[in-house]
Each structure stands twice: as C-alpha cells, then as structure tokens.
Amino acid sequence: MPPAALRLSLASVAVLLLAACASPPPVYDMETFQHESPFVTWSTREPAAACELGKRALLSQGYRLEGTDMVRVRGEKFFQPKPDEGITLNITLVCLPSNVGAVIYANALQTRYALKSGSTSTGLSVAGLGSISLPWTAAKEALVKTGEETVTSPAFYRRLFSLIQTLDGTRVDGIELEVGDTEP
C-alpha cells in the first residue's frame, strides 16, 4: 500500500472513531423513571368526575376536545408564533382509580410545523413530435412537521393541575380548602 493511501486510510479510521465517540447516548439511557413525577396529581373525586374537571380546564383555555371516553381526555390547541411557523399542543389526561379517589396522569406533546415551498414543472408529450418541456412552474406551500417532543416542564403541569384543583373547589387563589369549605 503506498504511503499516501495508508495515511488516507488511517485518517478515515480516525474520523470514524471520533464520530462514534461524539454521537449522543441513546435516549433510553437518559430515562430515569423517578418516583416523583410532574405528570401526576390526585383528586378526591372518582375517575370519571376527575376527568370531567380536566375537560372543563382544557375547554376553559381554548382546547378542542376529542373523543367521549369518561376516563381519558385529549385536548388540542393550535398556536402560530410566526407567519411561517405553527405549533400544536396536544394534552392527554388519563384518570384512574386510587386509594384517595382518582389519580390524574397528564402528558403534553408539542409538535412544530414550518411552511415550506416547493415548485413543479410541467412536461408535454406529443405523439410524432416527441416530448416538450414547458417552463411552467407552480409554487406550492405546505406545513411540514419539523419536530415533536413531550413537554417535560414541571411548571407547565403545575399550572394545569392547579387549574383542575381550582375547578374542583379544593383550591382558591393558591389556598387549599378543607372539604366542605366554600371560601378560604
């Protein structure tokens, strides 16, 4: 093997090794499965009644609800922070029985879209003459998904659960109420 080819081969191997070392760890290695979670809260109501409060909370914030399941609520809200950008926020609430009434699990998924342009040209084929390409273009714009992620902000879920507790009548302006109280 000539020295130049050997140096090129060694350089290629070195680049590949550096690239392998620089790759991010797998996502599942970062998953911690912690006991404390921002995605959960408890209610003294039964699961169907707790999910009804979740429906009211989402509706009060402009979310469009999907489905009619008594213990699962899915809400969707659209945002347009820039003229060529769109964001969809999907929130799912699942209400299950617990020893105090119900446990409410929440999950929010944020999907980002961008307006992308594409163009097409038109071709024409005429029998006997052959193919003719016309410089006729048509621009088309479409929203294209550019990213999607689970919302993991504890503050986001605290605000959602606080609203649900306020609608439940167990919290008014940040003050916990005793069962049976109507005012702080």
Side-chain angles (χ1 to χ4, degrees):
M1 182 178 262
L6 181 60
R7 282 191 299 251
L8 183 60
S9 295
L10 289 175
S12 298
V13 168
V15 167
L16 289 174
L17 287 174
L18 285 174
C21 292
S23 63
V27 174
Y28 57 82
D29 282 347
M30 295 183 291
E31 186 63 72
T32 58
F33 294 106
Q34 296 177 5
H35 176 69
E36 294 295 320
S37 171
F39 305 103
V40 63
T41 193
W42 287 264
S43 172
T44 56
R45 304 215 178 205
E46 293 300 313
C51 265
E52 181 65 28
L53 292 171
K55 286 179 187 178
R56 292 170 189 244
L58 293 176
L59 285 170
S60 75
Q61 302 304 304
Y63 283 81
R64 182 176 59 94
L65 299 184
E66 296 177 4
T68 58
D69 194 337
M70 297 290 287
V71 292
R72 183 178 176 273
V73 178
R74 185 168 187 270
E76 183 175 52
K77 190 173 181 179
F78 300 95
F79 302 88
Q80 189 172 1
K82 298 178 187 173
D84 59 345
E85 182 180 304
I87 296 177
T88 303
L89 190 59
N90 289 294
I91 298 176
T92 303
L93 302 175
V94 177
C95 306
L96 299 174
S98 77
N99 58 349
V100 296
V103 59
I104 303 171
Y105 295 98
N107 178 283
L109 183 67
Q110 176 180 289
T111 307
R112 292 177 305 283
Y113 298 92
L115 192 61
K116 302 287 183 179
S117 297
S119 62
T120 59
S121 61
T122 303
L124 178 65
S125 180
V126 179
L129 295 177
S131 176
I132 300 171
S133 182
L134 300 174
W136 203 338
T137 61
K140 293 183 180 182
E141 293 182 336
L143 280 177
V144 177
K145 185 192 303 187
T146 60
E148 190 170 59
E149 67 181 319
T150 298
V151 176
T152 58
S153 166
F156 172 84
Y157 293 100
R158 275 194 302 271
R159 291 190 307 268
L160 172 62
F161 293 142
S162 178
L163 177 58
I164 291 172
Q165 290 170 347
T166 299
L167 293 172
D168 190 16
T170 59
R171 174 183 291 232
V172 176
D173 294 329
I175 300 170
E176 296 291 327
L177 298 177
E178 295 293 324
V179 177
D181 286 349
T182 57
E183 294 190 27

